[in-house]
Amino acid sequence: MKIELTKNKKKKPDYSDLGFGKYMSDHMLVIDYDDGKWGEPQIVPYAPFEIDPATQILHYGQGIFEGLKAYKKDGKITLFRPRDNILRMNTSAERLCMPKLDTDSVLEALYELVRVEEDWIPEADGTSLYIRPTMYCSNVFLGVKAGTKYRFFIIVCPVGAYYANGLSPTKIFIEDFYVRSSIGGTGAIKCMGNYAASLIGQEKAHKLNYDQALWLDAKDKKYIEEVGSMNIFFVINDTVVTPALTGSILPGITRDSALKILKKDGYKTEERKISVDELIEAQKDKSLKEIFGTGTAAVISPVGEFAFKDKNYKVGDGNMGKVTEYLYDKLTGIQTGRIKDEYNWVVRIK
Ligand code: COI
């Protein structure tokens, strides 16, 4: 692996006011693919890419990405389930006809980048270093076909909470016209286009004073899928319900961790279809106790209110519920080393 360190380190941002995704670190990792093989991983000073206007990614969107986090406490650096992210990226690559990564060598390069950027890992509760692996087609060609050249890169940035209002409950708007994805489409992978397609729902939600759109299935527009930046969970009576992975929902790593923690700790969980009608019924008869979202960026985010077809519905008393709080504490406890990791999820790299 080639490592070229910058001579011009940036000034660090105020770690008590990070927000999400605003400050990029000093270095990045780049690995190029050509001629059927991946080249040498290179850690180089963070800088813009020069990109030919005819590069395929700019025209046909053959691009995928991941999101994971690193934590630092008392000089120790840990990552949460990094291998699962690279494995999921390979699933995304397969769906978009892109080359698979060599998981072990990419992980090794990723760990090295995080160690190089150690000073960029904030330590306060609720903060971390967000890691963004990305891959795009770099062929310069205007015909529509899978490329032969790809660039894989990783950038990292110190982050606080994903939502501007931190852990206060968010408001979600159930989108009943536009769809995010359909069975057989790309909803179950992390490709750039999914996020572009979801922006209109988010804009609509914002105009109506909601934080995010909640997507329904494309066929019946009846069953709840996911938010786009997070998977979604409902506490109905004493059962925690989340939409089953039908092929159009992202198999979130935080979603999987939440289910495993809840099951192990004695909560009843169900992965199944859940309709908007069932949700509204449960809100009306007060069996709906809590809603929360899960995601790497969003962590565990309480939802205090939802809207569907001009009506809004409060969730419980509108505050963070007990199950949400339990899960938030347990998951962030495991991620930051405050709670023993019984699952082998945490990887120490320093
Ligand atoms: C993540 O949770 O890491 C995501 O990728 C969601 C969003 C920030 C795009």
Side-chain angles (χ1 to χ4, degrees), residues 20 65-68 130 132 162 190 195 228-230 295-298:
F20 183 88
F65 70 96
E66 277 298 321
L68 66 156
Y130 186 74
R132 170 54 61 86
Y162 183 67
K190 217 164 166 63
Y195 294 80
S229 52
M230 54 188 196
T296 298

Side-chain angles (χ1 to χ4, degrees), residues 41-186:
Q42 314 206 5
I43 292 174
V44 291
Y46 186 100
F49 294 140
E50 195 175 280
I51 190 157
D52 189 293
T55 305
Q56 275 182 259
I57 177 65
L58 298 180
H59 300 271
Y60 309 121
Q62 203 189 0
I64 54 177
F65 70 96
E66 277 298 321
L68 66 156
K69 283 177 172 171
Y71 307 86
K72 192 169 161 192
K73 269 269 154 353
D74 309 322
K76 290 182 205 152
I77 304 173
T78 54
L79 297 163
F80 187 68
R81 305 186 67 173
R83 183 172 291 273
D84 293 300
N85 286 93
I86 304 304
L87 293 175
R88 186 171 65 185
M89 194 158 196
N90 277 342
T91 307
S92 302
E94 210 167 0
R95 174 64 179 80
L96 290 201
C97 304
M98 301 169 88
K100 284 196 181 175
L101 298 157
D102 177 72
T103 311
D104 288 325
S105 60
V106 164
L107 281 172
E108 204 183 295
L110 185 159
Y111 299 163
E112 192 54 36
L113 176 69
V114 174
R115 284 190 286 257
V116 166
E117 299 300 56
E118 174 173 3
D119 291 353
W120 285 90
I121 314 177
E123 294 192 44
D125 282 353
T127 66
S128 56
L129 186 76
Y130 186 74
I131 305 167
R132 170 54 61 86
T134 308
M135 193 204 298
Y136 68 88
C137 176
S138 54
N139 283 88
V140 175
F141 179 58
L142 289 186
V144 180
K145 68 170 195 169
T148 54
K149 294 182 193 223
Y150 293 88
R151 172 157 283 188
F152 170 80
F153 67 90
I154 304 181
I155 52 174
V156 301
C157 64
V159 296
Y162 183 67
Y163 294 112
N165 48 2
L167 257 190
S168 7
T170 54
K171 292 162 63 180
I172 53 176
F173 173 79
I174 304 179
E175 174 56 52
D176 65 346
F177 177 74
Y178 298 108
V179 293
R180 176 186 164 272
S181 82
S182 56
I183 307 284
T186 55

Side-chain angles (χ1 to χ4, degrees), residues 257-270:
S257 309
L259 282 169
K260 291 198 166 112
I261 290 172
L262 290 169
K263 274 185 207 157
K264 192 166 189 171
D265 292 358
Y267 288 87
K268 260 198 259 167
T269 61
E270 285 175 4

